[in-house]
Amino acid sequence: MRILRTIPEVRAAVEEARSAGGTVGLVPTMGAFHDGHLSLMRAARAASDLVVVSLFVNPTQFAANEDLSTYPRDEDRDAALAEAEGVDILFAPSASEIYPEGFATSIHVAGLTDVLDGASRGAHHFDGVATVVTKLFGIVRPDAAYFGQKDAQQVLVVRRVVRDLDLDVRIVACPIVREPDGLAMSSRNVYLDPDARAQATALNRALDAAAAAFEAGERDGDAILAAAHHVLLGAGIAPEYLELRDAETLEPAARVERDTLLAVAARVGAARLIDNHVLSVTDAPTPIDERGDA
Ligand code: AMP
């Protein structure tokens, strides 16, 4: 595995693989790797000739009051883990390589970024994500890029950028990887002390409770959310948001009649955590109260 720091070096390495007829897979990350990141690398490895992982703690997606300075960083460990997954190139640029003096462009996706994490963290967050991901696509020109469903809204935002700007890249969303007790893996889980770590399991348990109500035939949004709120309340967690939204458009969903994203964000101890489930109408049994006679 090569560790590259500059855009020209990455372009040259990718060009070499591409001119030999190879396909290129990109996994954008902010490092502090866990099994969630590694699952994306495995998916990229299985489908590409050249796998590029970017490791860049992108300053523009953090607000002034967020954890940019304390975000966990351990490049040596990350490099060893990426190498063990068969990654070919770890692109670990400096901030000035990505944002040189005079950088003035920002990509803003209207609508999708007004809600959930866009509302909670502010518009800058997804502008920073959309801008850096678009730059990475321009630098690496991957055939496919791999993202985690853990950041469901991010996947939708990136897909919209690709569609709206006619970028020639396939976006692959990979399933959420969880700890054995259900907590979604996150680089920010290291902020959790033992008490907060135990409390944090309530997020997935709350989503499970809501999903169970849905699977039992409940379609009313408030009733489904109440099942989740009950679990969060029991764990002493007041969510920043707990919402049902259309899984494609993020329009509010008063009833679950289409595939619907159930998304939660909460502060637990020193960490801000997010998690989600997709309530899939196509997988679920027909609700009793709406089953036809025929
Ligand atoms: P990050 O380093 O947190 O920016 O994440 C890099 C990529 O890994 C993003 O596409 C995330 O959605 C994905 N990711 C983070 N946590 C998980 C997880 N628990 N399961 C699957 N993918 C994840």
Side-chain angles (χ1 to χ4, degrees):
M1 186 183 77
R2 298 168 70 193
I3 300 178
L4 302 180
R5 311 249 171 230
T6 71
I7 294 168
E9 286 173 314
V10 174
R11 281 195 198 285
V14 170
E15 191 43 48
E16 194 184 313
R18 199 181 291 288
S19 59
T23 57
V24 181
L26 170 67
V27 181
T29 82
M30 299 205 303
F33 294 157
H34 50 66
D35 279 350
H37 297 109
L38 303 187
S39 74
L40 305 186
M41 295 178 205
R42 275 172 217 145
R45 181 69 284 165
S48 337
D49 296 306
L50 186 82
V51 175
V52 181
V53 172
S54 61
L55 193 179
F56 181 59
V57 183
N58 177 34
T60 63
Q61 70 190 68
F62 289 77
N65 64 343
E66 291 184 341
D67 56 344
L68 174 62
S69 62
T70 55
Y71 196 82
R73 291 168 170 87
D74 188 343
E75 188 183 302
D76 290 345
R77 176 180 172 276
D78 286 347
L81 289 168
E83 178 147 40
E85 294 302 334
V87 169
D88 298 298
I89 294 172
L90 186 68
F91 176 39
S94 64
S96 61
E97 182 72 9
I98 297 297
Y99 300 113
E101 186 89 15
F103 188 89
T105 299
S106 178
I107 300 206
H108 177 71
V109 177
L112 278 181
T113 63
D114 293 342
V115 301
L116 302 178
D117 257 32
S120 233
R121 300 185 66 177
H124 71 277
H125 172 64
F126 285 116
D127 292 358
V129 169
T131 304
V132 80
V133 166
T134 305
K135 276 184 69 88
L136 289 168
F137 289 170
I139 294 163
V140 177
R141 295 195 299 123
D143 297 279
Y146 297 78
F147 293 85
Q149 180 63 20
K150 157 94 187 325
D151 298 274
Q153 190 175 12
Q154 173 170 278
V155 172
L156 294 174
V157 168
V158 170
R159 283 194 199 281
R160 187 65 64 89
V161 171
V162 166
R163 195 180 82 189
D164 288 353
L165 300 184
D166 305 300
L167 304 182
D168 192 12
V169 54
R170 190 163 51 86
I171 302 303
V172 181
C174 299
I176 301 176
V177 178
R178 298 180 179 281
E179 300 287 355
D181 64 6
L183 177 66
M185 290 196 182
S186 164
S187 302
R188 291 187 167 97
N189 290 351
V190 298
Y191 299 152
L192 298 168
D193 66 22
D195 285 349
R197 173 65 185 77
Q199 197 186 14
T201 62
L203 262 59
N204 181 54
R205 285 190 285 112
L207 300 180
D208 276 346
F214 168 70
E215 273 149 30
E218 185 60 74
R219 292 295 180 266
D220 177 67
D222 286 341
I224 291 170
L225 291 174
H229 270 298
H230 181 73
V231 175
L232 293 176
L233 199 67
I237 293 175
E240 264 179 30
Y241 60 73
L242 172 68
E243 293 181 27
L244 285 164
R245 291 185 170 268
D246 183 282
E248 294 298 320
T249 65
L250 297 186
E251 290 295 321
R255 292 183 59 78
V256 179
E257 309 290 6
R258 304 155 52 84
D259 284 0
T260 301
L261 181 70
L262 170 61
V264 65
R267 286 203 169 276
V268 181
R272 179 182 184 277
L273 303 178
I274 59 172
D275 199 352
N276 70 83
H277 282 198
V278 174
L279 305 182
S280 176
V281 172
T282 37
D283 298 345
T286 311
I288 313 277
D289 58 347
E290 287 171 24
R291 200 174 286 158
D293 288 336

